[in-house]
Amino acid sequence: MKPAPNSLRLGPDERGHFGIYGGRFVAETLMPLILDLERAYEEAKQDPAFAAEMRDLQAHYAGRPSPLYFAERLTEHLRGAKIYLKREELNHTGSHKINNVLGQILLARRMGKKRIIAETGAGQHGVATATACARFGLECVVYMGAVDVERQKPNVFRMNLLGAKVVPVQSGSRTLKDAMNEALRDWVTNVENTFYCIGTVAGPHPYPAMVRDFQSIIGIETREQMQAAEGRLPDSLVACIGGGSNAMGLFHPFLDDPSIEIYGVEAAGHGIKTGQHAASIAGGRPGVLHGNRTYLLMDDNGQIKDAHSISAGLDYPGIGPEHAWLNDMGRVKFLSATDDEALQAFQLLCTLEGIIPALEPAHALAKVIELAPQKPNDHLMVVNLSGRGDKDIFTVADHLGGMK
Amino acid sequence: MTARIDARFKALREEGRAGLVTFTTAGDPDYDTSLAVVQALPQAGADLIEIGVPFTDPMADGPAIQAAGQRALKAGQTLKKTLALVESFRKSDAATPIILMGYYNPIYVYGVDRFLRDAKAAGVDGLIVVDLPPEEDEELCLPALKAGLAFIRLATPTTDDKRLPTVLQNTGGFVYYVSITGITGSAIPDTAKVIAAVSRIKHHTKLPIAVGFGVKTAEHARAIAEGADAVVVGSALVEAVRTSLDPQGRATAETIKAVTDLVASLASGVRAARRVAAE
Ligand SMILES: Cc1ncc(COP(=O)(O)O)c(C=O)c1O
């Protein structure tokens, strides 16, 4: 579809701005690299061979399309909207992260880069990157906060098996934001041969737009699948927000359908009021970090605050700039779910549908539990089930007082 | 007020030597000590002073300057207090140029116009904001120029001849050549390459060129000073602060002397250089 002139899907402008958000706030050393990347991506977008290679990998390596599944028992339980799950957890490597990684790795190959670096929180983006690097014989270094290395052990082991080097980051709060700092430091140092594979719709332009484009397959498939299942488009969309890539992937193809309600769910941690959360829209304000202007958690002096979430993948004090813009426009409504709400939703999906979700999309499910009962029975609600929960079972067991 | 910077480089040219630019972090390990350090710098041999504005997420800095920023933040340093520090320094020194170096977010949150007004009033001469490339000049660079502050830009090994004019366009005071691709304090620069890069940049600008990142000893400083108009030393100085602290991380009787001794030694290195490319 070609967007109309007043479309919400035209952004960013040529300098990477979504309204006042986005931009290219990076050190001079990186600026030429970012301009190179932008050029290479624009060329790849025009190249049918690139698109063909992507389609082939998505179908035969990642296992796309992912199913759109009618969650019958969850629907019966909540007695409201008809709930569909977009099963991104069934992708190879267990989350939506592979969609973006395959795109960026193909791009890195086109650019002749032999060394790939990535940051990871939950480890899902790290695992996806390590996987694609193994598939294409590329060196892979993954930066991961030391706290996350501890709480997402299974993914660290997976990355090691896949031949990646995992570097535990000891600086700052030792979580995702610090991993991103360290990846940027690596990139500034190894400019010649290194490609930085960012895992979400954040960072300097062109990353937010590029990652969104690679993730948009989620929403594009959902449109077709819902048409096939129900003969019409959905009425609402719900997704969790770390940096916002799984959410943007689902939302973007629907932004110009004004009747569709769109909900992003941030992590409220111990509760927004406690200050211990990762909800940058609910509890932050505009600032500049990691190459873009967006909503950030910070103090009155502009120092970035540590985020908190039970979910390592949502434990980030910022949000992609396009989400910030859509929030200000009122097009996407941002809600938040606490650690406890996410844990309850996690268990509900396990027992009602036989699906163990990752803790990240459990936040989206937590708000579905609130929203769905308020809707009529013919309301079609799609939740992005962005990842599977194998990586989280130890964390959940800890919180529920041990395995019984 | 690029006047102070211009006057200082003119004086250095007349003396026929390169300058020494020191970097220390405001508030490290506490406000009073960092002020005393800065006050002692000119006497010890610093020709220009860069003051680091602490930020929680210093993406272009290595472990030494990261740690200095964390010590300062822990001691309660803020941008407001950093401006107060400059104001105090100016009471006893009207000539040494002061350049604030840091990241954009604290300035953005303080408010650009308010910051420029307060910085100017405090006696700041120039700004280096690591995460504001020319592509974002409207944010702070252009307003700073209008307010009479120099916006000093970093040129790096990745800034090729095609890009240099863009980088130099709104630069004032001097050009800061980052001698390595990397973060502060990491590799030791290859002197011959650095001197070649400086002469490449000289083809594009009449501004003085300071070289930094990785300079640690008097001998490095001497070697770099043979080709550059000034040598910047940062990580080595904040390391001198760190090693002087007591086990609780507090300043000791040695702290100021640790910095000034190193500055004196670096200054002697810079002054010993036989300058190959004086102009
Ligand atoms: C399964 C899963 N969902 C969501 C996220 C959050 O990232 P984003 O908001 O970019 O989708 C992560 C991040 O690690 C994840 O692993």
Side-chain angles (χ1 to χ4, degrees), chain B residues 190-210:
Chain B
D190 175 334
T191 318
K193 273 195 197 156
V194 169
I195 289 173
V198 170
S199 66
R200 176 168 73 89
I201 299 170
K202 289 246 179 210
H203 285 303
H204 293 265
T205 181
K206 289 199 160 32
L207 288 170
I209 298 173

Side-chain angles (χ1 to χ4, degrees), chain A residues 95-97 122 124 199-200 240-246 313-314 358 360-361 386-387:
Chain A
S95 82
H96 69 293
K97 296 287 182 186
Q124 290 302 106
T200 191
C240 67
I241 306 272
S245 69
N246 85 90
L314 306 186
E360 290 82 13
S386 56

Side-chain angles (χ1 to χ4, degrees), chain A residues 147-176:
Chain A
V147 169
D148 295 336
V149 166
E150 215 32 63
R151 63 177 160 172
Q152 304 279 288
K153 276 249 170 67
N155 274 343
V156 177
F157 189 52
R158 288 165 82 197
M159 286 184 269
N160 287 331
L161 286 175
L162 292 161
K165 182 174 162 211
V166 179
V167 182
V169 176
Q170 300 290 353
S171 60
S173 59
R174 298 180 291 148
T175 58
L176 184 52

